[in-house]
Structures are given as structure tokens and as C-alpha cells.
Amino acid sequence: IRESATLTRDVLEQHFNDLKGTLKKLLDERLMSLLQEVDAIEQESIKPLDECQKLIEHGVSTADDLLREGESAVHGDVGQQNEKLCSFTKKALHIQLDSLPEVPSLVDVPCLSAQLDDCLLTILKNQIFRHGTVASRPPVQLEEFIEKPGGILVRWCKVDDDFIPQDYRLQYRKSTASHFEDVYVGSETEFIVLHIDPNVDYQFRVCARGDGRQEWSPWSVPQIGCTTLVPHEWTAGLEGYSLSSRRNIALRNDSQSCGVLYSKAPTYFCGQTLTFRQVLSGIETVGQPDRRDSLGVCVEQQNGYDSLQRDKAVCISTNGAVFVNGKEMTNQLPAVTSGSTVTFDMEVVQLGPSSNEGGNFKLRVTISSNNREVVFDWVLDQCCVSLYFGCSFSYPGWKVLVF
């Protein structure tokens, strides 16, 4: 409680300090805009009046000069009087002393004033007093963490019956990191977070957005998740396949070489779910299918084969056919296409001797693809709790993520 209260105080103080700075900046910008508007009106309106004043002052000055010249002619010497009067008369005839420039009427002269409406303060006051809330309980909480090879399946649930969620938002960070980052936004209530380092603590939190709302709810209480399972990796160096930097994505390239691409180690254990996801490789569709194409698991790596449709292996082909120890089953699954997800689940159902088929180790296998599944028993002559996985494609363009 104390930790969340301290964090909430820090968030509130930071938010309102940011608001203060933003409001001051906006008010300063508005003030500057209004002052510039006053300057512009003043300059535009005063110009014709200044010109009129200059003309009047010039006329008055000219008349004053002429008046002095007339007085000088009258009071001057008799010999020069006629000459000065003649010059005075000529200037008087050329100067229009009875005309004035057009002066704008008083109603046409601007008179500036500031119109400030006090209702802005009322609006701001009402908005500020309604801004922000403090929630004691978020409407969603993290519910479960399930270890996956190189990942964690995170589940969450709604704990507020009155809250109607539209979307969820999941974030995570390493315990040593300072910032959370988004890893999922959507309507599902679970998500597999990949690229998780084994035996490293990660913090997770989730929030939700109500139906028809834009803002997100408060965050759930952060919880720590961890996986001890090493990530699945494809074997590097096989001609015909290009791998991602984490070696969990394999792309069938345009090399003519073919063969089965196996996992680096037998990292699939009974009781887990192995998932293959077909993703686009930068082209519009996946590669051309072939009957030898396969995705599946096997007891051991066997080179020299161009498909997993062989002994000691179970697989599904891209056309949906299921093979067990090289034999095709009658049950058929949907074809594998772009975006398809294929999962393998296995559990031990029999150990020890006594089997009409000659084996003493039996696994219950469930293969799912596009919301359909087949279940069968896989009989082996040796105990196997960890298996290799593999894939083979005859044509380029296929791109498979494994987790």
C-alpha cells in the first residue's frame, strides 16, 4: 500500500507540474498573439492620420512663411516694397490656403480595448476540479504465469463486475530496467511473451480500456514472472534455411538443397505445448506446398531424409495429412497456410513391457491446427521424455516461428 501510494503521489505531482508548465506556455503564447494584434491595428490605423497631420502642418508652415513675407513687404523700404509685394502676390496666388486634406471622421477612427471574458476562469475551474481520479483497486489483475521455452504465458482477469472492458494492455520489463514497454494490446485475456531470458525475473502489469472509452484504467499490481526453460532454437548452418538472430524463426530460402531442419537440442518435453506458427516472409503468400512438407517432432536427428514422414517421428504436412512413424493416418487436419498455428501436446500414458505392437513406451499425442485436432497414441521402443522438433519444405517462401 505504501509503495503504490508513494508512486501515485509522484505521478500526480509530476502530472500537475507538467500541466502548470503547459498552461503557462499557452497563456504566454496567447498574450503575445493579442499584443501583436494590437500592434498591427495601431500601425495600420495611425498611418493615414499621420499623413494628414503632416499635410496640415506643412500648410500651416507655408501660410506662416507667407504671412511673414507679406508683413515684411508692407513694412519694408519704399524702394523694395513694390518688388516684395509683387513676389508676395505671386506666391499667394499659387498657395491654396483655403483647402485642408480629408480628415477621417471620428467614427472611422479605431479605439482599441481588451475584451476579457471571466467565464474562462469558471470553465477552467470546473474542468480542473474534475480532472484526475484516484482509484484504490484497478479493474483487472494478473492471474497466472505459465513457463514456456524462452517465454511466459501471462493470463489476467477482470475483478470489477461493473467494468466492461474493450481492450487490454500488457506491459513488461526486466527487473533491472527502469521503464515498462508494451507487449500486447487487444481483447484477449492471455498472451505468450517471447524473447524471455531464462532464470531472469520480469515484472508484468496490465490495464484495460472501458467500452467506448479512450483512456486506460489504472495499472494492476506489478507481479514477477520467470521461466526456467531454455528457448527453442533451430540448428544453424543447414543449407536451404535462413534463421533469425534468435534462431527461433526458420525461412526456407531459394537454395536447391533440401532436407530436414532439426532443433539444436531435444528441448521439447512431454507435458509441454510445442507451437509452430507460419508467418509471412515478405511476400504475399507462403511457399508452394509439397506432399513431403512436414512439421513435427522426432526421437533423434536422422540426416539423409528430405521429410519427417519417417520412422520415430510424428508430423503434419502442409496439406493437413498426419503421419505417425511414416504412415499416413486417416484423420485429416486443415491445410497449413499463412498465419496458421500448429501445436503438439504429448503425455506419457504407458511405461514398461507388454504391448501387442512390440513397444514398451507410449505417448498420447494431440496435434491441433486451425481449431481442429487429432489425438492418437505413439508407440516407441525406447523411453523418450525429451524430443527434437523439425521441419522440411521443398519450395522457398515458408517461414516458421517455433515456441
Side-chain angles (χ1 to χ4, degrees):
I1 294 175
R2 290 195 177 107
E3 182 181 354
S4 63
T6 300
L7 179 61
T8 301
R9 291 189 192 97
D10 293 341
V11 170
L12 287 172
E13 290 176 357
Q14 182 64 45
H15 177 72
F16 277 85
N17 284 333
D18 292 342
L19 278 180
K20 289 178 185 177
T22 304
L23 284 174
K24 184 180 183 305
K25 181 180 178 182
L26 292 174
L27 288 173
D28 289 343
E29 290 177 354
R30 181 55 179 165
L31 174 60
M32 184 59 65
S33 174
L34 291 173
L35 291 176
Q36 290 174 351
E37 188 176 346
V38 171
D39 293 341
I41 295 174
E42 181 185 23
Q43 294 297 325
E44 182 180 357
S45 303
I46 206 72
K47 185 178 179 180
L49 293 177
D50 284 342
E51 292 176 351
C52 181
Q53 182 177 358
K54 289 178 181 178
L55 289 174
I56 293 174
E57 289 176 349
H58 177 71
V60 171
S61 177
T62 302
D64 189 53
D65 292 340
L66 185 62
L67 179 62
R68 286 191 181 92
E69 187 175 343
E71 290 177 348
S72 176
V74 172
H75 299 292
D77 297 335
V78 178
Q80 297 178 348
Q81 193 172 28
N82 291 334
E83 183 180 348
K84 289 183 177 181
L85 286 173
C86 183
S87 175
F88 171 78
T89 304
K90 288 180 179 180
K91 288 183 178 180
L93 292 174
H94 288 88
I95 296 177
Q96 296 180 351
L97 297 177
D98 59 346
S99 65
L100 289 173
E102 183 179 359
V103 179
S105 63
L106 188 60
V107 295
D108 294 330
V109 177
C111 180
L112 281 72
S113 63
Q115 305 297 312
L116 302 174
D117 193 346
D118 291 339
C119 71
L120 175 63
L121 294 177
T122 303
I123 295 173
L124 287 176
K125 182 179 178 181
N126 293 333
Q127 291 295 328
I128 289 173
F129 284 165
R130 289 199 301 265
H131 182 68
T133 58
V134 176
S136 59
R137 289 180 176 83
V140 290
Q141 291 285 8
L142 294 169
E143 183 179 31
E144 186 179 18
F145 297 99
I146 299 177
E147 292 184 59
K148 296 290 182 179
I152 300 175
L153 173 61
V154 184
R155 290 194 175 119
W156 54 90
C157 61
K158 183 169 70 78
V159 294
D160 185 351
D161 294 336
D162 296 329
F163 183 79
I164 301 176
Q166 174 180 304
D167 292 307
Y168 297 99
R169 181 182 180 187
L170 178 67
Q171 290 189 336
Y172 83 126
R173 69 178 179 186
K174 277 188 178 181
S175 294
T176 55
S178 57
H179 298 289
F180 284 90
E181 60 180 274
D182 287 340
V183 68
Y184 172 76
V185 176
S187 59
E188 301 295 329
T189 56
E190 66 177 36
F191 183 75
I192 297 180
V193 183
L194 300 176
H195 306 157
I196 295 293
D197 296 329
N199 302 309
V200 174
D201 288 339
Y202 287 81
Q203 279 192 328
F204 295 86
R205 65 182 185 181
V206 67
C207 66
R209 180 162 51 196
D211 189 21
R213 306 295 294 271
Q214 294 296 323
E215 69 277 5
W216 293 97
S217 73
W219 291 105
S220 65
V221 178
Q223 294 190 38
I224 293 178
C226 178
T227 182
T228 59
L229 305 176
V230 298
H232 293 317
E233 294 183 9
W234 299 103
T235 299
L238 180 65
E239 187 179 359
Y241 292 91
S242 304
L243 306 183
S244 63
S245 59
R246 290 182 175 266
R247 295 187 291 276
N248 60 340
I249 299 177
L251 169 66
R252 180 66 167 92
N253 56 37
D254 55 4
S255 171
Q256 297 299 317
S257 176
C258 61
V260 179
L261 176 65
Y262 292 101
S263 58
K264 181 179 178 181
T267 53
Y268 174 60
F269 292 86
C270 294
Q272 298 178 356
T273 297
L274 177 69
T275 303
F276 299 98
R277 180 172 296 161
Q278 188 61 229
V279 294
L280 282 176
S281 58
I283 55 179
E284 293 184 357
T285 59
V286 296
Q288 180 182 346
D290 187 274
R291 63 180 183 83
R292 297 167 297 173
D293 295 343
S294 52
L295 290 166
V297 297
C298 56
V299 175
E300 58 192 6
Q301 297 179 348
Q302 292 185 11
N303 297 322
Y305 289 89
D306 60 359
S307 174
L308 278 176
Q309 300 168 17
R310 59 168 176 80
D311 189 36
K312 296 184 179 181
V314 294
C315 64
I316 176 177
S317 67
T318 51
N319 62 9
V322 177
F323 291 84
V324 181
N325 290 333
K327 297 180 179 179
E328 184 176 356
M329 298 182 61
T330 56
N331 292 336
Q332 182 96 0
L333 289 172
V336 178
T337 59
S338 174
S340 293
T341 297
V342 178
T343 62
F344 287 75
D345 291 275
M346 299 188 186
E347 60 178 334
V348 179
V349 294
Q350 181 177 319
L351 284 171
S354 73
S355 173
N356 295 332
E357 290 134 321
N360 58 2
F361 186 75
K362 184 185 296 184
L363 296 175
R364 180 72 42 81
V365 181
T366 302
I367 305 178
S368 301
S369 176
N370 293 336
N371 297 321
R372 289 182 57 186
E373 64 179 32
V374 294
V375 182
F376 56 89
D377 289 339
W378 184 21
V379 179
L380 299 170
D381 57 5
Q382 63 188 93
C383 179
C384 293
V385 293
S386 64
L387 300 163
Y388 290 87
F389 57 85
C391 70
S392 63
F393 298 101
S394 300
Y395 298 99
W398 295 92
K399 189 176 185 180
V400 181
L401 166 67
V402 60
F403 58 92

